[in-house]
Amino acid sequence: MLLNKKKLMIFLIIFLSSMTLDAAYIESSKDTKLPPDSVTYVISEPTDMQFLKAVGPFKYYFRDSRDVFAIFDTRNGYTWKTGLDIEFDSVIRDNCDALLERTDPVATEAEILETCVPLEDRMNTLYEGIGNSLLSMEYYDTSLGIKTISSASEDSVRSTLMMVNNDDTHYRLDVTFDVIDVMVSVHIYLTSNGLEYEVRDDEINGNDTNKIAAFIFSPFLGASGGQQLFFDMAEMDYPRASAAVAKPRIPGYIFLPDGSGALMRFQDNTTSLSTYIGDVYGADLSTNTYHYRYQNPYVPMKDPSMPVFGVAHGNRQAAFVAYATQGAEFMEIIASPHNNRTPYNYVYSRFTYNQLYQQIYNQSGAGYPTLFEERNHYDIRLKYDFLQGDGSTDGYPADYVGMAKKYRDHLIEYDILQDNLIESEEMPIRLDFIMSDAMNNLIGTRDVVVTTIDQVDEILTKLHTSGIKNINSGLYGYQKGGITLGDKDRPNWINAIGTKRDFERVIENMNDLGIDVSLALDYVSIYEEQMSLLGNASKHLNGWYIREHLIREVGPVSDMYFARPTLVASWMKSHEKSVRSLGMQSLTYAGMTNQLYGDYGRNEIDIHGVIDLYQNTLDTLKETYAINAINPNQYLWAQVSRYLQSPMFTSQYLIQTDTVPFLQLVLNGSMEVYATYANFSFYTETDILRMIDYNVYPSFILTHDPSYELISTNSSNFYSTEFNLYEEMIHHMYNRMNGAYESVLGSQWVDRLVVAPGVIVNQYANGVEIVINYTDEIQVYDGRTVSPLNYRVLD
């Protein structure tokens, strides 16, 4: 009996222990994990380098033989270097061999160890040059393959640093490449925030400039990793690569502007993982390799909407944030994990000047690869701001939070963002409506109407009466042809949805209730079934229309084309003029907000001109209306009042270890930011907590009638939208989130801390803290408990 009791006790202990283990919160790359360990400062002030200037808290140094700048931060004693600052292995071996061959006198052990210093493992001469370089150039060879050479290469290049106009904070690195005939100057500014690089278009010279593929800047600034081969005194030689010794690892991470924001922690990978390549603002479809593409059959990767990245070392000890202020539309952000091409984790910016595209030579679409006849022309300006400490002295902690705040302040300084805190006492909510779309008919197409304007009136009035006051709404498919085939320049009203007078009446009613109702339209996507492509569709550099083939579509269209940007701007103006009498407070835009491409048809325009065109158009419209924009790129933020469909996750590359709300931190206090539609798998308690954590507001897309009526239209992907199914959820989500926000509306979000796995603390300027508990267990913070899967507001 006693033995049985002992067995029972042992079983209960094991069972309860397993329950405890099972209950532990399991983190994934969708979470923000605990901060990295502290870093031990191992690089002292680099007094062995040429001292240039002390500016603010920084002392700047330079090593001419390797084109390496050093930035010594006097605030924390930390030294950053723009490159690895290593000697070429070939030079080390030559010096070592010469010493060993000396016979009179024979080299001593001390001399050998001083001369035969460790070699870089898995870093050939090319990568050692790149590892040191301030500037690297990719270029096309005679076979149109891409090769790389750096300003610090062992041969075929010459570089000289000189002061500009006797200004000891302004230097110029003149680089002459001999492998192709190219000369370029990089201006380096030493500032009280950090380094700034500038390349002026008119200072790129030589007979082969059209062969330049791209320029790369300081790719190993902030890098972590590496391994070395130490000289073996017993064998009097360097050992094989299998004897390589890892360098001391720096705890930290790379920040990438993927989705809401991603971290790539410094870690050693046993297998080779793919490099992250983020094409800022997305690919220019007018100069892409091909004039056509296929719609992704999976969730598409997210393109960076901001030209920014960063690196953090340690736990709020040292970091930098880098961002382009010129040339961003040609910028790529590239992060390479350990064990990819090298044993380092590193990140850098790449600016494209020429690329291959398929030139078509007959009507069947046959072609050959070729380069642009003339390279891209633009200036580059790239800033590196260095951060230190926990932010108690300057408000910028040395982590992704400080990076976001520093970048936000830069955008405010240049009037790209404005301080515009919400003054309402209640949280806003976005409720969009699908009104109609087109489907194939026996002859032509017919409209499938799932929401009328009077039903919009009925639904919004009902919600307002029941206590949801702060509503804004966008109406999709409000005219004949619906979402897919509707007119672009002016609405074609139909009785089945509502006449213009019906819209005027309902919008006036909504204005009286304080509800903002707008018309929503994608001006970019056009179809042959909708209009003639001639004169309306953008052309690729090869002369063919840019086209996207839609996968598994059941509606009347299967190929999408892209409207000429000049027409997009013209349609936006004419459409606004035709609906001005409706009395709307805002306008909602899609397509042109995040798709940047040129047009090489009649009156060609490149993406420089398109950015200016869209900015000027929205500047005119924002004088009368608030602008609601779906996923707008950073160059339009000065014109935007509401950011719709903000990403809540990353693309989830394998190398991405954490998800952070960098985008939301940057935008907080400047515009209202709304999450993706809650009725599409974003409605769980965890999702609600994530919205509170990220300081975004909920949104839904709704219909009055069942969504299955859209099954034969191109809107069939909106598979669950019926208001009656979501009315209770809207109330629950609104009340639950409003309870968190009511204490912080109108107060700036100033910090975000991870205090335990799955436990986040957001801090606000008014002293309020919101603790978010993603776990299934009660958590304790500052002596207060927080229920599982819940939040708590601490005043």
Side-chain angles (χ1 to χ4, degrees):
M1 187 69 177
L2 184 61
L3 183 60
N4 289 338
K5 285 185 177 180
K6 286 183 177 179
K7 287 182 178 179
L8 178 61
M9 184 65 69
I10 293 171
F11 171 79
L12 287 173
I13 291 172
I14 295 173
F15 177 74
L16 291 173
S17 298
S18 67
M19 285 184 63
T20 303
L21 289 173
D22 289 343
Y25 185 74
I26 300 175
E27 294 176 308
S28 73
S29 61
K30 295 181 180 180
D31 294 292
T32 309
K33 300 171 185 174
L34 287 167
D37 294 334
S38 296
V39 61
T40 301
Y41 297 170
V42 294
I43 304 177
S44 59
E45 184 173 352
T47 53
D48 60 326
M49 301 172 72
Q50 177 190 352
F51 176 72
L52 297 178
K53 176 74 174 176
V55 184
F58 303 112
K59 291 183 179 180
Y60 293 96
Y61 294 83
F62 183 67
R63 194 184 308 281
D64 182 66
S65 61
R66 300 173 190 167
D67 284 353
V68 173
F69 280 83
I71 305 96
F72 178 69
D73 192 335
T74 61
R75 298 170 298 180
N76 61 359
Y78 203 74
T79 296
W80 296 90
K81 289 187 176 182
T82 59
L84 294 177
D85 195 19
I86 56 176
E87 184 60 271
F88 287 105
D89 283 357
S90 58
V91 174
I92 295 173
R93 284 186 180 275
D94 288 345
N95 293 338
C96 183
D97 290 344
L99 180 67
L100 295 176
E101 291 171 2
R102 196 180 75 190
T103 58
D104 187 20
V106 175
T108 65
E109 180 175 346
E111 287 179 312
I112 293 172
L113 293 178
E114 182 180 356
T115 303
C116 302
V117 295
L119 304 176
E120 286 285 327
D121 185 46
R122 292 182 55 201
M123 292 280 285
N124 60 24
T125 301
L126 170 65
Y127 268 92
E128 286 173 341
I130 294 172
N132 285 334
S133 69
L134 186 143
L135 176 74
S136 292
M137 179 181 70
E138 293 181 355
Y139 64 95
Y140 289 95
D141 61 16
T142 54
S143 62
L144 296 184
I146 289 183
K147 293 188 175 179
T148 306
I149 188 170
S150 74
S151 61
S153 290
E154 195 171 23
D155 51 33
S156 300
V157 66
R158 290 159 287 149
S159 62
T160 306
L161 184 75
M162 61 181 63
M163 190 184 300
V164 178
N165 296 328
N166 292 319
D167 180 355
D168 58 3
T169 65
H170 181 188
Y171 289 83
R172 192 180 74 225
L173 185 70
D174 293 329
V175 184
T176 300
F177 296 101
D178 295 331
V179 65
I180 62 171
D181 185 17
V182 170
M183 294 154 285
V184 60
S185 296
V186 182
H187 293 259
I188 300 104
Y189 301 90
L190 315 181
T191 78
S192 58
N193 290 316
L195 279 177
E196 184 173 348
Y197 299 153
E198 180 189 26
V199 173
R200 301 171 185 174
D201 184 65
D202 60 5
E203 292 181 350
I204 303 173
N205 298 304
N207 295 321
D208 294 328
T209 58
N210 288 334
K211 295 180 182 178
I212 301 171
F215 286 137
I216 291 169
F217 296 90
S218 299
F220 281 78
L221 173 55
S224 172
Q227 54 197 46
Q228 295 175 309
L229 295 173
F230 286 80
F231 189 81
D232 187 338
M233 290 297 298
E235 299 292 333
M236 294 304 287
D237 198 357
Y238 287 96
R240 295 180 180 273
S242 58
V245 178
K247 288 184 176 181
R249 291 327 194 212
I250 299 173
Y253 54 76
I254 292 167
F255 158 71
L256 301 170
D258 180 54
S260 62
L263 304 185
M264 183 184 115
R265 300 211 177 207
F266 297 147
Q267 56 189 15
D268 290 353
N269 301 309
T270 56
T271 59
S272 179
L273 298 177
S274 298
T275 296
Y276 167 83
I277 302 176
D279 193 343
V280 175
Y281 306 147
D284 176 5
L285 301 179
S286 67
T287 59
N288 242 1
T289 304
Y290 300 99
H291 65 275
Y292 59 87
R293 68 180 184 183
Y294 291 88
Q295 183 186 51
N296 287 323
Y298 47 80
V299 177
M301 299 299 180
K302 298 170 175 62
D303 294 315
S305 62
M306 340 169 242
V308 59
F309 62 94
V311 169
H313 287 180
N315 182 4
R316 291 197 162 185
Q317 293 171 275
F320 71 77
V321 57
Y323 50 92
T325 59
Q326 287 181 280
E329 59 270 34
F330 297 101
M331 177 182 178
E332 291 178 332
I333 297 168
I334 300 176
S336 182
H338 170 271
N339 207 25
N340 185 293
R341 295 183 177 180
T342 74
Y344 285 93
N345 298 276
Y346 59 99
V347 62
Y348 59 92
S349 55
R350 177 184 188 272
F351 292 84
T352 302
Y353 280 86
N354 208 333
Q355 63 192 65
L356 293 174
Y357 72 96
Q358 191 77 353
Q359 179 62 63
I360 307 299
Y361 60 78
N362 63 22
Q363 290 301 311
S364 65
Y368 57 90
T370 187
L371 294 172
F372 304 163
E373 288 187 7
E374 188 170 346
R375 66 172 178 84
N376 296 320
H377 288 276
Y378 60 96
D379 296 336
I380 297 172
R381 207 161 183 117
L382 183 65
K383 293 186 175 183
Y384 291 82
D385 290 347
F386 294 94
L387 315 177
Q388 65 84 34
D390 61 5
S392 57
T393 58
D394 59 8
Y396 304 116
D399 63 359
Y400 70 89
V401 175
M403 296 178 199
K405 294 174 71 175
K406 190 71 174 179
Y407 186 55
R408 168 181 165 76
D409 284 352
H410 157 75
L411 297 177
I412 289 175
E413 181 182 356
Y414 286 87
D415 294 325
I416 298 170
L417 289 179
Q418 294 81 35
D419 282 318
N420 187 24
L421 293 165
I422 292 179
E423 298 179 359
S424 172
E425 296 180 358
E426 294 195 26
M427 177 193 76
I429 186 171
R430 179 79 179 182
L431 301 175
D432 290 338
F433 289 90
I434 298 174
M435 307 191 80
S436 73
D437 206 356
M439 66 173 286
N440 283 318
N441 202 10
L442 187 61
I443 300 176
T445 62
R446 70 176 181 87
D447 295 326
V448 178
V449 178
V450 288
T451 313
T452 67
I453 188 60
D454 286 330
Q455 289 166 343
V456 170
D457 190 359
E458 174 190 336
I459 291 170
L460 294 181
T461 301
K462 182 178 183 181
L463 291 171
H464 185 273
T465 303
S466 63
I468 300 178
K469 307 293 185 183
N470 193 358
I471 302 172
N472 62 88
S473 177
L475 308 181
Y476 290 87
Y478 49 84
Q479 58 175 315
K480 180 177 175 58
I483 292 177
T484 304
L485 301 181
D487 288 348
K488 305 291 188 183
D489 57 345
R490 60 179 57 85
N492 187 358
W493 312 103
I494 57 173
N495 291 334
I497 301 172
T499 65
K500 184 176 183 180
R501 184 164 296 179
D502 293 331
F503 275 79
E504 289 174 345
R505 170 178 50 81
V506 170
I507 289 173
E508 182 179 3
N509 292 342
M510 293 298 100
N511 287 341
D512 291 341
L513 295 177
I515 297 175
D516 178 354
V517 175
S518 62
L519 301 181
L521 190 58
D522 176 356
Y523 290 89
V524 162
S525 304
I526 61 174
Y527 310 91
E528 282 189 283
E529 295 81 357
Q530 179 185 32
M531 64 180 71
S532 169
L533 299 181
L534 183 63
N536 292 316
S538 285
K539 286 189 175 182
H540 189 272
L541 193 60
N542 66 15
W544 287 52
Y545 292 122
I546 307 169
R547 173 174 57 88
E548 179 173 301
H549 182 66
L550 308 179
I551 303 293
R552 292 194 291 272
E553 290 288 342
V554 295
V557 303
S558 58
D559 285 289
M560 183 177 75
Y561 297 84
F562 297 82
R564 294 170 54 208
T566 50
L567 269 181
V568 169
S570 176
W571 287 339
M572 290 168 66
K573 293 175 182 177
S574 61
H575 188 279
E576 182 278 327
K577 186 176 181 180
S578 68
V579 301
R580 196 175 294 168
S581 64
L582 298 184
M584 293 182 295
Q585 302 173 42
S586 68
L587 298 170
T588 298
Y589 294 105
M592 56 79 59
T593 57
N594 55 25
Q595 295 190 66
L596 179 62
Y597 59 89
D599 176 22
Y600 290 90
R602 186 181 60 203
N603 301 321
E604 69 179 47
I605 183 172
D606 63 13
I607 54 178
H608 281 303
V610 173
I611 289 175
D612 290 340
L613 178 67
Y614 288 169
Q615 287 175 334
N616 293 335
T617 302
L618 288 179
D619 273 335
T620 300
L621 295 171
K622 70 173 286 196
E623 293 177 3
T624 307
Y625 305 92
I627 303 299
N628 314 310
I630 294 178
N631 261 325
N633 286 328
Q634 182 244 287
Y635 53 80
L636 294 181
W637 288 357
Q639 291 78 30
V640 172
S641 301
R642 296 189 182 104
Y643 189 118
L644 308 180
Q645 303 294 300
S646 74
M648 301 298 291
F649 299 98
T650 69
S651 299
Q652 297 182 49
Y653 289 86
L654 289 177
I655 62 174
Q656 295 172 346
T657 57
D658 304 49
T659 301
V660 296
F662 184 93
L663 172 69
Q664 290 80 0
L665 279 160
V666 171
L667 296 177
N668 181 261
S670 290
M671 63 181 75
E672 296 174 15
V673 182
Y674 293 85
T676 50
Y677 290 132
N679 45 323
F680 292 100
S681 302
F682 198 70
Y683 51 74
T684 67
E685 290 302 310
T686 299
D687 296 327
I688 292 173
L689 291 177
R690 182 175 287 265
M691 284 188 275
I692 296 169
D693 180 8
Y694 283 27
N695 281 262
V696 301
Y697 308 120
S699 67
F700 290 79
I701 188 161
L702 305 169
T703 57
H704 178 272
D705 296 346
S707 56
Y708 64 73
E709 295 184 13
L710 295 169
I711 192 65
S712 296
T713 73
N714 285 90
S715 296
S716 60
N717 56 314
F718 294 104
Y719 52 83
S720 182
T721 56
E722 186 179 353
F723 172 68
N724 287 337
L725 300 177
Y726 289 101
E727 182 178 2
E728 183 178 345
M729 181 186 292
I730 291 171
H731 278 283
H732 168 72
M733 190 173 290
Y734 188 84
N735 292 330
R736 184 144 163 72
M737 294 180 64
N738 197 45
Y741 286 136
E742 60 186 0
S743 299
V744 296
L745 288 175
S747 184
Q748 186 71 43
W749 183 17
V750 295
D751 207 353
R752 181 176 186 263
L753 306 171
V754 182
V755 296
V759 183
I760 309 296
V761 179
N762 281 330
Q763 298 177 338
Y764 299 84
N766 62 359
V768 171
E769 293 182 314
I770 298 180
V771 186
I772 296 99
N773 179 10
Y774 287 105
T775 78
D776 295 325
E777 296 179 330
I778 294 173
Q779 299 290 334
V780 179
Y781 171 74
D782 197 22
R784 264 81 62 90
T785 60
V786 187
S787 303
L789 283 174
N790 211 335
Y791 68 85
R792 182 166 180 176
V793 179
L794 306 179
D795 293 328

